[in-house]
Amino acid sequence: MQFDDDADLDTSEVRDVRGSRVPGGRATVGGGLVGLIALVLGVLFGVGPDQLGLSSGGEEPAARSSSAAQVNQACRKGSDANTREDCRIVAVVNSVQDFWRTEYARRGGTYGSAATVMFSRQVGTACGTATSAVGPFYCPGDRQVYLDLGFFEELRTTFGAGGGPFAQAYVVAHEYGHHVQNLMGTLSRAQDGRTGAGSGAVRVELQADCYAGVWARHATTTPDDRTGRPLLTTLTEADIRDGLDAAAAVGDDRIQERFQGRVTPESWTHGSAAQRQRWFHEGYRTGDMARCDTFR
């Protein structure tokens, strides 16, 4: 996975509040065992904490940027994305949104951008206050993606994913899949009150996986708004395997087997490893968001 060294990164699409304090905020999910339970229950890669029953009960003030915020100064060029993890996330966000802007325009619509907020420990959102234990999530209330970069180490060490830069890109693209669902009015279908392989919650998550695959198919051919050249220049089959591996690692069955010692399909909220891989691959194989109808 390689970015155009000479490309200009757009850091306005990422807010870096790492190291800042949530004023008056209180954590909705603690660390250690409580955080682990949250992950086992399938919170991973979801929507905002209010929709997951983790809200602290009302809108919390957003975290303030601090001196620890670095992306505005450090992430200028594609070459920075090729050497720094936080700059890589900026570049992936840029690439994903370049694609969706292009796709919406091709379909006669206008894409509404969403920022990614990089945080550490906990963060206040329009969906409530969340800690890092919740994992990456999208908050429809403020139309932002929230991400603690420490999650990627958890993905490798706790959930057994192989890792790699594209595994990280898959996570980001999945969350922007939720944003697209929100714009299209399909995200609310996750709230049907059911769990299990055929629930709305699972179908929404699998569709977000598929949308991530659609972006991956077009990532190296979508022109960047600033240069007219693709921001992502190289994406190999090994990279795609990393994405599929990450998708499988966070399948409900894999997580349940690892932490509960048994698989209970009736409690699934995100889909099995095979389902998540299948739908990511479907998006990547076809490059067509119309083929991502997981509600059929």
Side-chain angles (χ1 to χ4, degrees):
M1 181 177 175
Q2 187 80 13
F3 295 96
D4 178 0
D5 280 338
D6 297 324
D8 295 318
L9 300 184
D10 182 3
T11 57
S12 71
E13 294 188 336
V14 175
R15 288 201 307 120
D16 188 353
V17 298
R18 289 174 293 171
S20 63
R21 182 176 178 274
V22 180
R26 62 187 187 277
T28 58
V29 180
L33 179 60
V34 176
L36 181 60
I37 291 171
L39 292 173
V40 170
L41 290 177
V43 174
L44 202 62
F45 290 18
V47 292
D50 63 330
Q51 293 180 290
L52 297 165
L54 299 176
S55 176
S56 56
E59 183 171 338
E60 295 285 348
R64 301 189 186 101
S65 295
S66 73
S67 59
Q70 301 179 55
V71 296
N72 287 340
Q73 292 76 38
C75 304
R76 300 291 189 179
K77 292 287 188 178
S79 55
D80 299 320
N82 289 324
T83 57
R84 284 180 58 123
E85 181 181 55
D86 51 1
C87 299
R88 182 186 307 131
I89 299 304
V90 174
V92 171
V93 170
N94 290 170
S95 175
V96 169
Q97 298 208 103
D98 282 343
F99 167 70
W100 287 116
R101 275 188 286 269
T102 300
E103 181 65 10
Y104 266 65
R106 186 180 71 82
R107 293 171 174 267
T110 302
Y111 171 76
S113 297
T116 284
V117 180
M118 290 184 189
F119 72 98
S120 55
R121 299 182 65 114
Q122 72 178 65
V123 66
T125 82
C127 297
T129 302
T131 70
S132 301
V134 174
F137 66 92
Y138 171 72
C139 174
D142 55 27
R143 293 188 174 186
Q144 294 189 122
V145 171
Y146 290 86
L147 174 66
D148 185 329
L149 296 185
F151 166 76
F152 295 125
E153 181 65 13
E154 286 287 309
L155 185 62
R156 188 180 65 81
T157 60
T158 303
F159 295 94
F166 190 75
Q168 299 174 0
Y170 154 72
V171 172
V172 174
H174 172 98
E175 294 307 330
Y176 275 92
H178 286 314
H179 177 57
V180 171
Q181 291 170 324
N182 192 34
L183 295 177
M184 297 178 67
T186 57
L187 186 59
S188 61
R189 298 179 74 171
Q191 307 307 306
D192 63 0
R194 299 186 300 120
T195 59
S199 66
V202 167
R203 293 177 189 275
V204 161
E205 295 299 332
L206 297 179
Q207 187 175 63
D209 282 335
C210 188
Y211 286 162
V214 171
W215 160 73
R217 168 53 62 189
H218 298 284
T220 59
T221 58
T222 298
D224 181 65
D225 291 345
R226 292 160 293 282
T227 66
R229 304 187 307 271
L231 178 56
L232 185 61
T233 59
T234 305
L235 192 61
T236 67
E237 287 303 314
D239 291 323
I240 298 302
R241 286 195 296 273
D242 285 344
L244 289 168
D245 179 64
V250 292
D252 283 324
D253 55 340
R254 292 276 186 93
I255 293 174
Q256 289 175 342
E257 180 66 33
R258 181 179 289 263
F259 297 108
Q260 297 178 171
R262 68 187 188 281
V263 176
T264 54
E266 64 275 9
S267 66
W268 289 357
T269 57
H270 286 62
S272 69
Q275 286 177 311
R276 300 198 74 162
Q277 285 189 319
R278 173 199 163 196
W279 282 104
F280 175 83
H281 187 263
E282 178 71 7
Y284 180 70
R285 182 183 66 83
T286 66
D288 182 2
M289 67 181 298
R291 299 293 294 271
C292 294
D293 185 3
T294 57
F295 296 92
R296 289 174 293 158

